[in-house]
Amino acid sequence: MSAEAADREAATSSRPCTPPQTSWFEFLLEEALLETHLKKPCPDPPPVQLIVQFLEQASKPSVNEQNQVQPPPDNKRNRILKLLALKVAAHLKWDLDVLDKSLSVPVLNMLLNELLCISKVPPGTKHVDVDLSSLPPTTAMAILLYNRWAIRTIVQSSFPVKQVKPGPPQLSVMNQIQQEKELTENILKVLKEQAADSILVLEAALKLNKDLYVHTIRTLDLLAMEPGMVNGETESSTAGLKISTEEMQCQVCYDLGAVYFQQGSTNAVVYENAKEKFFRTKELISKIGSSSLHCTIDEKRLAGYCQACGVLTSSSNSTSQQSTPYSQIHCCMRCGNYQELVKIFLEDNITRSLPVQFRQSVLRELFQKAQQGNDAVDEICFRICTCNTVCDVMQGRAIGIQFNQLFLKPNKEKIDFLLEVCSRSINLEHASESLKRKMAAFLKNMCLSLEDLQLVFMISSHELFITLLKDDERKLLIDQMRKRSPRINLCTKPVTSFYDIPALSEKLRILNIQSINKIGFRGIYVFCHVEQLVCFYLHLNPV
């Protein structure tokens, strides 16, 4: 072997290779492998994928000698696979947020039904008829986990889902997707039929005054032993991971609040129940603090729910609730008080307390009303859109297409309102240089985008425009206007009086009626003195 070949072989053999992924059946062969695997920093396959693999293998149907498809057998292999799936979920501390995001509805349904089964809840038992206080702590917790998941799944199914763009058609894949879709729909149908019972179970859980326990890998191993070897440890009050009363109630209140909020779309009275549960959740979170390892609540989403409930349940006599801009906007939209709505948006352009998404959602709702034939809303759409656009400009966001569409046919009233919004949205005494430059650039671009010289003069003669643009910027703007309109010669000779323009009558005679109608009286004045853009130039370069 040459030296070059030897070096090449040595380099190849010294490269680190990716360790092979652990196969599902290896966990059947070695009992201690699962815990070792789950303790790795980045186990491959990850825990949720293991749950899918274990349950998929345990639920595979069998084929008998007559080639007839039979349900999966209840043998030792399948029981161990199901137990392994439960152990992985126990390692994840039965966090429904993690499990919901990673597992499909059919897989999670199978997993939680296995938890009920191993927790000694007989199949077909109506949970609403069971007294939770009389059950072993781990059994009661298994029932709560199932019913919490049930109403969470119902709520989640009511949200719109973006359709995934399908790839190349493959018959086997399409059949599998269709089967999973049908199975999911059947499970959702059952969950919705049992929704009232699930809500009653969770409401009853709020009355419990004892700590509960959720299964760990150790207690699941104990349950898998022969009955005579357990010694009642799994029935005791100290078996498993402890879930304090406050943690349990916090999670249950949040899930109940979510389902009540969803039901409020058809029955507004239920929003009161949702509000009560969400505010109770906030109290419990502050009480628990950051010490909880099991209770995880999306606090940003909770804050949104609380804000929405505060608006939807506000009464006309409650000044404390009406003081929030959200409550005021909701009332204005409901009562059709659009002038007050515009006033709120104008004020918020200074405070900027409303999220941009909320401002956009209000505008979308107004556009929908306008499309339904409410002509009175057209002008309000423009005004709210203008407020939003100026707010976007000051915060450095791009101007939306809606504003450009509404400004396809600008007029004096629109320019007046635009200038009013700009003036009221910036405090020149306290505004930063960056903010001033953004506003100046916006006004300058507005001038360049307008064809009607009267409207250009309205903007250029406004006090805000004069304050924000420097002399050299104004001269540059004149040059840009000249390039855009080569017919207009912007010379530096000012004209002090309209009546001093020579040969005015001759110029007017040349103009035809169509031109007069198009450009208006001020336009005639500018047109007649072709050598100067009188109004525009006099203002930028006063004598």
Side-chain angles (χ1 to χ4, degrees), residues 191-228:
L191 294 179
K192 288 176 181 177
E193 290 173 353
Q194 299 174 350
D197 287 351
S198 293
I199 291 172
L200 289 175
V201 170
L202 297 183
E203 287 284 7
L206 295 178
K207 299 174 183 177
L208 292 176
N209 291 318
K210 64 176 183 178
D211 296 333
L212 297 181
Y213 289 80
V214 68
H215 279 300
T216 60
I217 293 178
R218 181 171 181 275
T219 59
L220 289 169
D221 275 332
L222 291 172
L223 286 172
M225 292 181 182
E226 296 296 327

Side-chain angles (χ1 to χ4, degrees), residues 472-483:
D472 56 343
E473 289 179 313
R474 292 200 291 259
K475 291 177 182 178
L476 179 61
L477 180 59
I478 292 173
D479 292 338
Q480 290 174 318
M481 294 288 292
R482 182 189 295 116
K483 291 176 183 178

Side-chain angles (χ1 to χ4, degrees), residues 47-58 85 102-104 107:
V48 287
Q49 189 178 333
L50 279 178
I51 293 175
V52 174
Q53 291 178 0
F54 292 148
L55 293 180
E56 188 179 63
Q57 295 298 324
S102 309
L103 301 178
S104 66
V107 171

Side-chain angles (χ1 to χ4, degrees), residues 74-101:
D74 184 20
N75 53 29
K76 183 177 180 180
R77 169 189 175 276
N78 287 348
R79 285 195 296 271
I80 294 175
L81 285 169
K82 292 175 184 178
L83 181 64
L84 289 172
L86 292 172
K87 285 183 176 182
V88 178
H91 170 75
L92 297 173
K93 296 184 174 63
W94 300 98
D95 189 336
L96 288 181
D97 287 331
V98 174
L99 298 174
D100 273 335
K101 290 175 184 176

